[in-house]
């Protein structure tokens, strides 16, 4: 089974590959585009515009951060509904049959062959690209810094979320600690550690696969998507997050 046509192009995009910054920004849920071979997965236009298909605003924030830092940006060009690249192949959430209040008919009872086709077409190329970038930096004597950027819905299963920005980490807390410390001084948003999700929710796969495995500083950023709904708010948030990240990196360099 061929998931992607030649006309659709590859699943991973890299911008500013030669960026001078050690920071590599990753956006796993950048796009709501589905491979043509999957149609609509049986979903309505409303569902395909919603947060279940992508992380609204995350790619724009990632781009502004990358520009400010002169960092490399890597992002997935297809929807998380086809394959969620922040989940390993064995995870039920990798090709979810349900997402929040939505059932995803096109992901129900997938055959082994259908699942394998998505893994081969979307997951492996994406993570191979990240791995290659990080290894190239290491080979040149630069210690990369891994930053993943996401957004989350302000209302989940009918319950409003007060948290505005989440700074997430797994076992390595170095970068997150520094950002949270900087946020105490620049208290512009309701910023919390490992919220609205945490490692127990399985959201740190990319951090573990590339950050922890290589002993690299790493952090995951979650932004409530109503705060990054237009270009101006995306720029403001990117500037804020970039400031926190810079302060954390400066603090780490002195240790």
């Amino acid at each position: 089974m061929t998931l992607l046509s030649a006309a659709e192009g590859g699943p991973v995009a890299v911008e500013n590959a030669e960026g001078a910054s050690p920071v590599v920004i990753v956006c796993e849920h950048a796009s709501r585009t589905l491979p043509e071979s999957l149609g609509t997965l049986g979903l309505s236009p409303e569902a395909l515009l919603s947060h279940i298909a992508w992380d609204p605003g995350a790619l724009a924030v990632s781009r502004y951060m990358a520009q400010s830092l002169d960092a490399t940006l890597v992002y997935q060009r297809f929807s998380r509904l086809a394959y969620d690249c922040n989940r390993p192949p064995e995870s039920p959430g990798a090709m979810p049959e349900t997402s929040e209040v939505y059932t995803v008919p096109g992901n129900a009872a997938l055959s082994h062959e259908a699942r394998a086709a998505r893994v081969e077409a979307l997951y492996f190329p994406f993570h191979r690209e990240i791995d290659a970038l990080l290894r190239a930096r290491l080979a040149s004597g630069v210690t990369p810094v891994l930053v993943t950027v996401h957004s989350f819905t302000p209302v989940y299963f009918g319950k409003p979320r007060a948290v505005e920005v989440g700074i997430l980490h797994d076992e390595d807390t170095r970068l997150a600690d520094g950002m949270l410390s900087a946020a105490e001084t620049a208290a512009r948003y309701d910023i919390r550690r490992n919220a609205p999700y945490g490692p127990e929710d399985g959201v740190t796969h990319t951090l573990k696969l590339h950050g922890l495995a290589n002993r690299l500083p790493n952090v995951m950023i979650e932004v409530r998507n109503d705060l990054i709904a237009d270009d101006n708010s995306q720029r403001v948030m990117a500037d804020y997050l970039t400031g926190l990240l810079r302060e954390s990196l400066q603090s780490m360099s002195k240790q």
Side-chain angles (χ1 to χ4, degrees), residues 7-249:
E8 290 176 284
V12 55
V14 179
E15 297 181 0
N16 197 29
E18 303 301 322
S21 172
V23 174
V24 174
I25 297 175
V26 174
C27 192
E28 298 102 317
H29 306 152
S31 174
R32 60 184 178 86
T33 300
L34 284 169
E36 292 176 4
S37 63
L38 300 182
T40 65
L41 292 176
L43 291 164
S44 67
E46 175 196 15
L48 293 174
L49 284 171
S50 78
H51 70 94
I52 72 163
W54 64 323
D55 283 356
L59 179 58
V61 171
S62 298
R63 279 181 166 145
Y64 286 130
M65 290 181 70
Q67 290 169 13
S68 181
L69 293 162
D70 192 17
T72 298
L73 168 62
V74 184
Y75 65 91
Q76 172 57 247
R77 295 184 57 245
F78 294 92
S79 172
R80 64 194 296 175
L81 292 173
Y83 191 100
D84 184 337
C85 281
N86 196 29
R87 298 293 190 278
E90 65 273 15
S91 169
M95 292 159 264
E97 294 187 14
T98 61
S99 184
E100 200 201 0
V101 298
Y102 297 93
T103 298
V104 187
N107 285 351
L110 290 175
S111 68
H112 173 77
E113 291 75 17
R115 293 183 68 89
R118 297 197 200 181
V119 172
E120 290 293 333
L122 300 171
Y123 176 81
F124 283 145
F126 184 73
H127 286 288
R128 279 197 295 262
E129 189 66 43
I130 297 170
D131 183 65
L133 279 166
L134 297 177
R135 290 187 182 280
R137 299 288 171 89
L138 287 166
S140 69
V142 174
T143 299
V145 175
L146 178 65
V147 178
T148 68
V149 178
H150 297 255
S151 72
F152 63 94
T153 180
V155 179
Y156 191 60
F157 282 104
K159 295 182 178 180
R161 287 162 156 172
V163 59
E164 296 179 316
V165 177
I167 304 297
L168 284 62
H169 60 79
D170 204 279
E171 294 176 4
D172 183 349
T173 70
R174 293 173 294 170
L175 202 52
D177 288 346
M179 292 182 72
L180 287 163
S181 178
E184 291 177 2
T185 303
R188 186 183 303 175
Y189 300 99
D190 183 339
I191 262 192
R192 304 184 194 181
R193 183 189 299 271
N194 283 335
Y197 312 105
E200 67 279 3
D201 300 304
V203 299
T204 55
H205 175 63
T206 298
L207 298 188
K208 291 194 290 185
L209 185 63
H210 301 290
L212 295 185
N214 294 299
R215 299 182 179 180
L216 304 177
N218 61 90
V219 71
M220 178 178 173
I221 299 170
E222 283 273 9
V223 181
R224 209 174 67 194
N225 65 35
D226 60 319
L227 300 176
I228 49 173
D230 56 41
D231 183 70
N232 183 64
S233 61
Q234 291 158 0
R235 289 175 183 270
V236 169
M237 183 61 72
D239 286 346
Y240 178 73
L241 295 172
T242 300
L244 298 185
L245 183 58
R246 282 190 169 124
E247 287 195 42
S248 182
L249 291 172

